[in-house]
Amino acid sequence: MRYSGWQVLKQGLTGNKGWQPAWRDPDPKPQYDVLIIGGGGHGLATAFYLAKEHGITNVAVLERGYLGGGNVGRNTTIVRANYGLPGNSEFYSHSLKLWEGMEQELNYNVMHSQRGIINLFHSDGQRDAYARRGNTMINQGDDAILLDNAGCRRLLPYLDYDQTRFPIYGGLYHKRGGTARHDAVAWGYARGADMRGVDLIQQCEVTGIDIENGRVTGVQTSRGPIRAKKVAMAAAGRSGQVAAMAGLRLPVESHILQAFVTEGLKPCIDHVVTYGMGHFYISQSDKGGLVFGGDLDFYASYAARGNLPTAEHVIEAGMTLMPMIGKARLLRSWGGIMDMSSDGSPIIDKAPVEGLYVNAGWCYGGFKAVPGSGFSYAHLIATDRHHAPAARFRLDRFNTGLVMDEEAKGSQHNLH
Amino acid sequence: MVDLIAKTPCADLLPIKVEAVTLSEVTPEAITSIMPYEGKWEVASEALKSAHGITLPGPGRSTGKGDIRAIWTGAGQAMVLGARLDAGLAPHAALSDQSDAWALMRLEGAGGEDVLARLTPIDLNPGVFKRGHVARSLLGHMNAVIARVGAEAFEIMVFRSMAGTAVHELEEAMKSVAARAALR
Amino acid sequence: MRIKCPLCGDRDSREYTYMGHETYLDRPGDEGWSADWDDYLHLRDNPAGVTRDLWYHGAGCTSWLLVERDTVTHDILRVELARDAKRGRG
Amino acid sequence: MRIEGYGRIDRDTPLNFSFDARNFQGFKGDTLASALLANGVRLMGRSFKYHRPRGVLTAGSEEPNALMEIGQGAARTPNVRATMQEVFAGLEAHSQNRMGPLRHDLLSVNDLLPNFLSAGFYYKTFMWPRAFWEQIYEPVIRRAAGLGSLSGQANPDRYETGFAHCDILVIGSGPTGLMAALTAAEGGADVILAEESAHFGGRLISEAEELDGQPGPDWVAEMLEALHETGRVRLMNRTTVTGAYDGGTYGALERVGLHLPMTPDLPQECFWRIHARQAVLAAGALERPIAFPMNDRPGIMMASAIRSYLHHHGVAAGRKVTLFATNDDAHRTALDLMAAGVEVAGVMDSRTDAQAQGDYPLFAGAQVISTRGRQALREITIRQGGSEQRIETDCLGVSGGWNPTLHLTCHMNGRPVWNEDIAAFVPTEGAVPGLTPAGACNGVYSTSRCLSAGVAAAGAALQAMGAKAPEMEIPEASDSPGKARALWLVEGKGRAWLDFANDVTSKDIKLAAQENFRSVEHMKRYTTQGMAPDQGKNSNIGALALLADATGRAIPETGTTTYRPPFAPVSLAAIGAGGQGKAFAPQRFTTSHEASVARGAPMIEAGLWYRPSYVPRPGEATWREACDREVTMVRTHVGVCDVSTLGKIDIQGPDAAAFLDFVYANMFSTLKVGRVRYGLMLREDGHVMDDGTTARLGETHYVMTTTTAAAGEVMKHLDFVQQCLRPDLNLRTISVTEQWAQFGVVGPRSRELLNTLLDSPIDNDSFPFMACGEVGVAGVAARLFRISFSGEQAYEIAVPARYGDALYRLLVAQAEALGGGAYGMEALNVLRIEKGFITHSEIHGRITAFDIGMDRMISARKMCIGKPAASRAGLQDPMRERLIGLKPVGAVKQLTAGAHLFEEGAAPVAANDLGYVTSVGFSPTMGHFIGLGFLSDGPSRIGDRMKMVDHLRGVETLVEICDPVFHDPEGEKLRG
């Protein structure tokens, strides 16, 4: 059933009885061509593009909980293409183009709002480092503007330009950056994949990966064994456990990233704003809640919840940058499980085991990467050739030394 | 002949008084860190005792005689306040002059614990943090050494360059505690 | 969260910073790059359960600590000075 | 209306306040809600989506409807619960979330088209045309959405945070909490008793109930006295425990000044971090609404809330009251109202076997199937047996049973379990280590069993701490739990609300199930049920029960969503109080700070420190003029600059030399005593961490300097190497950054200047380049280092920090006498670029020794941190971007840091990108701009012409690649 304004009008006049299920709840078949482990944003998008771009529809997405229940449902919903390193620059540029066509492609309003994102900087040195990144973005064909202090005052009048601890010199303004409704992205891709014949199987935990003489042959699950020629991992924070089922160790350590939302407020923040002297980023959801986040809790964890010191530090950064949010009240805080890679950039590659594919190491950047990762991962699974924008996301880069250290912090997983 | 005038860290910041609580600067004669080399803690402690009459303190504690005091300031490290250390200690421990590195403040008066409760995560209740106890912890966002030197008196050490921030944060806490007391 | 420092006693986790897995204690001896170095710097078991990792009591006694804990429940099971643990490994 | 002889308010202290600019009067002890009800005001807000009229539903923090803006201007606070805001003289409250006056909210037009605004409608439309989303659809939606509004101005009020410690924290001070606190204190524990509302006693203040034969409130007063007697209990009222975290840490928000007119120095709120070895949750229970058609009108409220307003505030919520209940408990409202002379028009009890407990009209087996009254309730329609009947009423008390307030037990992902006996969810066992739920929050609904539950829980907590549980005498109290029977939905015409704030009705829940959003988490996100300010406290259980029906599952199988911190919303100003303004990070001032400020030098941030940008002289209009003069002054005469902010680490011990060989790429054990050497420090991943000079003052005594930015990181790294990698080495390290004030004396006349101050003069032989040693200045023991960051003959002199101010002023005076003077960071930066020296602009974290032409410094004779990783093939590739100098050679003379480098004829796009510029400055010495940067295969491109493009600044410059050292490459000046 196609969604549109007319459909909402027609259904509204007939008591909304005609709306169809957004996806089916099939039982797992014994055999598929491709199995995707993980029903989050990346898994669902991969299934969608396998079907749409490559006509491969005998696919099952295996989700141990409910669709979109992991990080795609727990992030601060930021979408941007403002990366500096070769490899990341092309990938997120391609991903943002897919975002811009997503509503038409999925026939689902994911509320992608290109309201602009401003990375504030607080010294000449930081300005020049951001300028280097901004020039990379323009070289890549994306947009960037260097705001000075006066430019920030016009766009962001509510920042504290006088009392704040680290004065605001200016900001790197990426107009095509913005936000999207995270759940809607998962549901849009789920519906799109299901409509094209992909089986979305919830409450189905993968408990083992079957390998016979170096080739993957299927998986063991809480709902029985399923055979397949190709198995693609997309388990984000749980990548370590799933890879271990195939005897693999990944350059990934799982960490907690807390996110926060306030009670609903009338419009007061119209952009995504990030702070340069403390990890803090904020935007306002369409329902009016201020959605913000900042540092990891910094210790390895799968608890999907964090502790007070990090929450306080993040909110302190918000208070020194924009004290007007002081009267807003924190309504809810939660945690995602971030698969932090050793250089801060992701991995989309074939595993050393034939027929097994790895998609992991997304750190903070998983949500904005959903379409790009799905598209490139589907291309790799379908053709066994790396898709150009994701060509550098190799497993072996740590041995060659061609690491992609976007944050320039070294090999310690939790510093990216 | 040229002459260099000395300035103390809190010269133009202290003393301040809010209701029953006062914050004043303390300027010991000298502060020297003493870090015994491998296996030399006992022999260094003996050398200190014979030279200055006090032994090296265990973790979280302080020792003292007259106006000379030794406070525990970290793993394998103590600081001696109040006297230039005898050179005889040198072979047993790394000695390093810290006299100018620290701003030393004394917080005195009823309710000192409540003031510090705004800034320090450790439990300073008299039943737990007794006279002679020393802790290396936080004062707001700063590293600090906190010692109880009396039933209603604490000594606080922060790095010299942060004296201004420390005094400001302590004064704000003193005002807030006093304002609450006025309500009762 | 609270960690009991062997020297300072039970302290709020805001006084500590975290580095990473216990493997950092076992620096490989090879002078050139090797699979051991790839293991040491990058690859992790990343267990959901009991693990051991290195913490620095930066706001306290500046000791490095080896902490045995659970990555799912955040229980802290055992804490020792990393210096002693390293010496114990010979 | 106000009822004489009722309420624990101070009728001798009338308080004037305003609501939507209308003046009212309440009494001390009133909440905004009770005072408004006393004045007959029932319309207090508007719902989120349909903008329907909303009246107060409850008497506690779980209030979903009566959310208001308090205060004016910058002090305005949105979304304040009228049920929690105590009235004070001059209190100004405004309704929110309306367009136009509250009585005529233009946005209530949404209420005319509910069928088109059903759950998730916005996912199915607003997709065409694409640009309309940002320009039209989203702005309209955002305007209508949201509740209260921020003032947009900086927060002027004072907030604070604090730490508290105790053996046993008791959360809630009803019968369970008071007994738990007394038991714990009698058992020898230090206790904190935290109570959310202003008064202790919980429900006992709102019920006509007796304990030990005396009225509840009197018993409470006695208990507080007993607690005080133990000397071990810290009573914290107006303090909501908002979160349970690891290790017995709890977050709690105390309302300190919110109930008073503005008081200087008094914080509005305090966010406490409480560490408790054990805790008892005694948070009671919340009464559960019923979803019946048109159940959202102002005047419809919880039956227990009507009792609270009567007993606690002396206010009758209506003149002609009806009740709709599923249990005996709610009948007390009828009894209490009649005792106070208020008319009870009927009690509709859904149970056919219900018994009246007093002479009020009981309609057993009846249900309310509709209501009327636009701005406030006028009439209800009930159905009993086959017949329907209308009853005129202005206040309907509702009770669908009680939900245990177990939220804190879910804060570590524990999910509550369904208890069929009480038809409610109760905490799962051991959900939060050290937190024992007791009483109503654990599903125990009778007062007497609550009292014993409190004793038992405190006893268990004492035992867990190794103490003995004392014998406690349990007061005599009522034990009438009554059999609860759940009623989730009354079918009928008209919408039945579950989430009153987000306007989620039973139709929305059914639609979610119909579209296969079957999981309770999917239903919540699709319908936004439970995502309003009350976080589902009034709707979660009802919604999941309807979902269970709609999907043919039982409630336990459907399960519940989990609750997350905070239990009640916390102002960001409170939890972030440590960050506002300058407090976010300490300020570090050098000893020469005042002297620089006095000379008009603008101070700029360098890490946590402040350093002079430039030191202007009269007549200099721009920073460039001052900077050019300062550079020339240093090159030709002598300059003085404070370098105290660089990290300084004292390293002593027999193995100090071996240690430095291990942490630095180059050798230090070969450095002679009295000499200094430049050192390059790698991270273990082979990239450069920091650089700086290390001096050898004695056989076993070095002093290492680090950059300002990396001082803390290096200190921690050295501790890591000593303790975790090389405990075999016998050495000790300690920071001496703050012990010494250190100043650069730079330029051809630098030695001449020093000799006017040193107790014994020096010359090129006694103090050659890279020498160091003890010297005397006016009898003060100082240290002198002959090192240069400018390429000139230069020294750094360090004195104990107490003399810093005095020495700086003296050095500047002497420099000015010799034709020089003070210089700042801008000049220092140009001087070092002229000499090709690097800073963290170059070693920005992705750079190896190879990239900056220093790979030879990685000594072949020893191992060091980072050496193996630096040997990876990818880090030795000549095509990597490597350090070069550049200067403009075309018409455009400007260079910019952050620009990229391309072949002369190539398009400035990613594919042709060969490098980037890191540092630039106008060099008065060379007469043109100079810069440093990184270029693919840089060293073999010296002399080539390339194109520098900065899209952001609109600058395109033809440049020549050159050797990074522009000035005095042979270094004669250094050794002069």
Side-chain angles (χ1 to χ4, degrees), chain D residues 359-550:
Chain D
D359 55 5
Y360 47 81
L362 172 67
F363 299 79
Q367 296 181 342
V368 176
I369 58 167
S370 191
T371 69
R372 290 164 60 97
R374 181 69 193 152
Q375 303 283 357
L377 181 67
R378 290 196 272 109
E379 177 191 89
I380 59 172
T381 308
I382 67 164
R383 177 173 56 214
Q384 187 185 27
S387 67
E388 292 177 9
Q389 179 185 349
R390 289 201 189 156
I391 302 176
E392 198 192 303
T393 175
D394 64 351
C395 173
L396 170 65
V398 177
S399 176
W402 294 78
N403 291 329
T405 309
L406 44 77
H407 307 71
L408 278 177
T409 66
C410 301
H411 283 184
M412 295 189 184
N413 302 330
R415 300 256 168 169
V417 289
W418 180 253
N419 175 333
E420 193 54 45
D421 302 342
I422 59 168
F425 281 91
V426 289
T428 186
E429 203 47 45
V432 171
L435 177 66
T436 310
C441 74
N442 202 28
V444 171
Y445 287 158
S446 91
T447 305
S448 74
R449 282 194 290 125
C450 278
L451 293 166
S452 43
V455 172
L462 285 165
Q463 266 145 21
M465 279 173 30
K468 222 176 76 51
E471 284 306 317
M472 298 297 289
E473 188 234 344
I474 310 289
E476 193 271 327
S478 76
D479 179 12
S480 54
K483 192 81 188 67
R485 199 169 311 126
L487 171 63
W488 306 111
L489 178 66
V490 174
E491 294 295 349
K493 214 173 73 52
R495 287 164 287 169
W497 268 262
L498 287 151
D499 189 326
F500 295 103
N502 274 2
D503 277 327
V504 179
T505 67
S506 54
K507 286 195 173 93
D508 295 316
I509 308 295
K510 289 193 179 103
L511 181 59
Q514 176 185 320
E515 296 191 77
N516 203 14
F517 288 88
R518 289 167 48 85
S519 141
V520 67
E521 294 282 351
H522 276 160
M523 174 272 287
K524 166 179 176 175
R525 292 152 185 256
Y526 192 62
T527 65
T528 75
Q529 176 285 127
M531 297 170 85
D534 73 334
Q535 279 290 281
K537 290 194 177 77
N538 298 294
S539 57
N540 269 4
I541 312 300
L544 71 88
L546 294 194
L547 182 67
D549 288 347

Side-chain angles (χ1 to χ4, degrees), chain C residues 40-60:
Chain C
Y40 179 72
L41 285 177
H42 308 124
L43 302 180
R44 293 292 178 269
D45 293 335
N46 195 19
V50 176
T51 189
R52 290 168 19 147
D53 33 49
L54 290 170
W55 296 69
Y56 178 61
H57 196 188

Side-chain angles (χ1 to χ4, degrees), chain D residues 809-874:
Chain D
R809 291 174 195 272
L810 192 58
L811 288 173
V812 172
Q814 295 300 90
E816 283 168 349
L818 294 172
Y823 69 97
M825 290 303 105
E826 305 307 332
L828 181 124
N829 197 39
V830 169
L831 289 162
R832 67 97 186 169
I833 297 174
E834 289 176 340
K835 194 58 185 169
F837 285 139
I838 54 175
T839 67
H840 274 277
S841 298
E842 282 68 44
I843 44 174
H844 49 62
R846 278 193 293 270
I847 297 298
T848 65
F850 175 80
D851 297 338
I852 50 176
M854 291 188 185
D855 41 322
R856 294 177 328 286
M857 282 183 72
I858 302 180
S859 166
R861 295 159 50 205
K862 57 153 172 102
M863 165 62 89
C864 75
I865 296 279
K867 177 172 178 181
S871 68
R872 285 176 287 181

Side-chain angles (χ1 to χ4, degrees), chain A residues 342-393:
Chain A
S342 181
D343 65 357
S345 294
I347 296 145
I348 299 182
D349 202 352
K350 290 190 275 189
V353 176
E354 188 64 31
L356 185 63
Y357 301 82
V358 180
N359 175 318
W362 290 100
C363 309
Y364 296 69
F367 180 65
K368 63 187 75 59
V370 162
S373 166
F375 196 97
S376 297
Y377 202 29
H379 184 280
L380 177 67
I381 296 163
T383 68
D384 276 315
R385 287 194 313 282
H386 283 277
H387 184 233
R392 288 175 186 251
F393 293 158

Side-chain angles (χ1 to χ4, degrees), chain A residues 265-288:
Chain A
L265 299 160
K266 290 300 176 195
C268 56
I269 294 182
D270 298 334
H271 306 84
V272 182
V273 184
T274 76
Y275 183 49
M277 288 306 287
H279 207 152
F280 172 77
Y281 36 84
I282 189 168
S283 64
Q284 186 168 19
S285 74
D286 290 340
K287 290 210 311 296

Side-chain angles (χ1 to χ4, degrees), chain D residues 207-221:
Chain D
E207 304 293 1
E209 207 176 317
E210 293 204 342
L211 283 90
D212 271 353
Q214 57 178 331
D218 298 348
W219 180 77
V220 170

